[in-house]
């Protein structure tokens, strides 16, 4: 049996409308890469990244959901077991609102103050991010993981969580999204 290389496993979800940059955010965090030709996620995809927080090795299993409404019934089945969600969540999980593509000031649709107001009203964190310019990507993921760690009792990872040792994709089928 292979030796476990982490102390805790956190399942995180990226949820939001199609084209908002969920896949770009994930690839910037997991691979420190940005690609203008990323294509829309079909169904669900994921990446794995292990980080060290407060002396513990934490494996982040980050699920990237399709934003199109037609995939809603597929993607919602992955919500179970989530410990943190960026963009939308139930009350029992750590939540965070991201205003992505903040580098595109000339195409801004939502003012920063509006994002901050929505986050304040819902009692959640808010970060403006840019996968392209690498603004606040790592900070957002590590902050979410720290928030989960803070409320996690010391125990072994839950065997119900999917444990995938490398960050390959589930579907791999995509069509154009981030520009």
């Amino acid at each position: 049996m292979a030796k476990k290389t982490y102390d805790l496993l956190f399942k995180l979800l990226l949820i939001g409308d199609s084209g908002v940059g969920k896949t770009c955010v994930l690839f910037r965090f997991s691979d420190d890469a940005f690609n203008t030709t990323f294509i829309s996620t079909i169904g669900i995809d994921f990446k794995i990244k292990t980080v060290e927080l407060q002396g513990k090795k934490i494996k982040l299993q980050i699920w990237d959901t399709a934003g199109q409404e037609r995939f809603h019934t597929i993607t919602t089945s992955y919500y179970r077991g989530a410990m943190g969600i960026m963009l939308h969540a139930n009350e029992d999980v750590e939540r965070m609102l991201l205003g992505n593509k903040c580098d595109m000031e000339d195409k801004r649709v939502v003012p920063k103050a509006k994002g901050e107001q929505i986050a304040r009203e819902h009692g959640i964190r808010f970060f403006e991010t840019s996968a392209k310019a690498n603004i606040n990507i790592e900070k957002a993921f590590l902050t979410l993981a720290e928030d989960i760690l803070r409320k996690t009792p010391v125990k072994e990872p839950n065997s119900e969580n999917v444990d995938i040792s490398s960050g390959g994709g589930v579907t791999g089928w995509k069509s154009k999204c981030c520009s």
Side-chain angles (χ1 to χ4, degrees), residues 10-166:
F10 291 171
K11 179 180 177 183
L12 308 179
L13 295 178
L14 296 176
I15 300 169
D17 291 339
S18 181
V20 297
K22 296 179 300 295
T23 300
C24 293
V25 165
L26 176 57
F27 273 78
R28 174 58 80 181
F29 178 68
S30 64
D31 300 347
D32 194 21
F34 181 80
N35 186 337
T36 59
T37 61
F38 275 130
I39 47 179
S40 292
T41 303
I42 305 297
I44 196 100
D45 205 351
F46 69 91
K47 284 285 198 177
I48 300 287
K49 183 169 179 174
T50 302
V51 298
E52 190 161 328
L53 295 171
Q54 300 175 18
K56 295 194 180 301
K57 284 190 179 178
I58 301 171
K59 183 183 275 192
L60 301 178
Q61 186 183 88
I62 308 162
W63 293 85
D64 179 15
T65 63
Q68 297 95 332
E69 182 63 31
R70 63 187 166 151
F71 296 111
H72 183 72
T73 55
I74 296 169
T75 59
T76 55
S77 65
Y78 287 88
Y79 293 8
R80 188 176 355 159
M83 301 169 86
I85 296 176
M86 288 185 174
L87 302 178
H88 166 78
N90 295 322
E91 289 190 25
D92 61 337
V93 298
E94 288 299 318
R95 298 168 291 165
M96 177 178 290
L97 177 65
L98 297 184
N100 196 34
K101 302 185 182 183
C102 69
D103 60 300
M104 299 174 69
E105 194 61 45
D106 59 324
K107 294 182 180 178
R108 179 178 286 275
V109 176
V110 180
K112 182 177 182 179
K114 181 66 173 172
E116 291 170 336
Q117 175 193 346
I118 292 168
R120 209 172 22 258
E121 288 171 1
H122 294 282
I124 61 177
R125 292 186 185 273
F126 173 73
F127 286 97
E128 281 208 324
T129 60
S130 169
K132 184 177 186 178
N134 198 13
I135 298 169
N136 284 335
I137 299 296
E138 184 153 336
K139 183 176 182 181
F141 278 97
L142 294 181
T143 299
L144 185 58
E146 284 175 347
D147 290 346
I148 296 167
L149 180 59
R150 204 173 353 274
K151 72 177 208 179
T152 301
V154 179
K155 63 176 184 169
E156 291 296 308
N158 188 335
S159 62
E160 292 177 20
N161 287 334
V162 178
D163 182 10
I164 301 164
S165 58
S166 66

